[in-house]
Amino acid sequence: MSEATELKTAKRGPTKAQWTLAASILAITVAVLLYRILVWQHLEQTSALFIGIPSVLAIILALTPRAETTVGMICKVITIAMLISGIFLGEGFICILMASPIFFAIGILIGVIINAVRKPEHQKWPGTNATCLLLIGAFTGMSLEGTSARLSFPQQEEVAVTRALPIRAVTVENNLAAAPDFNHPLPAFLRLKFPRPVEAHGAGLNVGDRRIIHFAGGEGKPGDLVMEVVEHSPGHVRFHAVSDHSKIAHWMTWEDADVSWKEVTPGQTTVEWKIRFRRELSPAWYFGPWEHYAVRLAAGYLIDTTASAR
C-alpha cells in the first residue's frame, strides 16, 4: 500500500461498526450508572427507570453518526441492557418480562422519529437536534411520575370479583374461618415467577384473629404477609394487612380484603372478594392494568379455594 493510500485510509476516521460499538458501550454504561443512582435514591419503582432509562438509551443510539438501521440497533442494545440487568444488577426474570414492552416501545418510537427527520426531504442535523430537544423534554416529563407524591397519579386501587358458588353460606363462613388452603394450582399468569403463597397459619373470624401467609419461590427472598380480622358481621369479614415482608411489597402494598357472601337460593351462595391495595410501580398507565389483572386473578383464586371442602 502506497503512502498516499495509507494517509487516505487514516483520514477516513472510525468506521460505521466502530461508531456503533462505541455508542452501544456508552449507552449501556450510562444506563447502568443511571440505574445505580435510581436504586440509591429508592426510585427504581418509578417512571424514572421504566421510561427515563430506555429514553436515554434510545437518544444516545439514535444520534450515532452513520447509523442507518437506528431502530434495529436500539432494539439490540435494549435487549443487551436488559440481559445485563438480569445477570448483574439483581433484577429478576419477572421484572425484565414486565418492563420489556415499554422499554422497546419507547426505544422504537424515538428511533422512528429521529429517522424520519434525518431523511433528505427533511431538515438534517438542525432538525434532528430540535427534535431531540423536544423528545428529551417530553420524556423527561413522563419520567418524573412516581418520583414524588405531587408527581404521581392516585395510587390507591380497588379490585372486586364476584362468583356464584354451589355451596351453603355456612360452608363459606366455615372455610373462611379456617387457615387458607393453597394446594390448588394458581392461575398461569401468577406462576410466571411471582412469589407464591405456599402455606398459611392462623384461623378464626373474631376481631384480632390473624393469618400469616408465607410466600416463597419466584423472585426475591421468602417472606410473610400478615392479615388481621378487623371487622366481622353476618355475611361479611374484613381483613387488614398488618405487614408484608414478601417481594410482592416491592410492587404493591396490600391494604384490605373485604369478603361478603349471601345465600341466594338453598345451596347457592354469591361471594364477593374486594381487595384494596396501593400501586407502587409507575407509570400508572402501564403498570395499573397489569396490577389490576394480577389482583383480579388472585381474588378469583381465593373465592375458588373458599368453595373447596376442608
Side-chain angles (χ1 to χ4, degrees), residues 291-306:
E291 293 197 1
H292 268 253
Y293 178 64
V295 173
R296 188 173 294 109
L297 289 176
Y301 174 80
L302 291 168
I303 292 177
D304 291 340
T305 59
T306 302

Side-chain angles (χ1 to χ4, degrees), residues 82-83 85-87 90-101 188-189 191-194 196 218-220 247 251:
M82 288 194 300
L83 292 175
S85 74
I87 297 171
E91 288 298 308
F93 168 78
I94 191 64
C95 284
I96 294 173
L97 181 66
M98 295 291 288
S100 58
F189 180 76
R191 298 197 301 267
L192 285 178
K193 282 294 183 181
F194 292 106
R196 303 181 189 182
E219 183 183 342
K247 181 66 175 180
W251 308 312

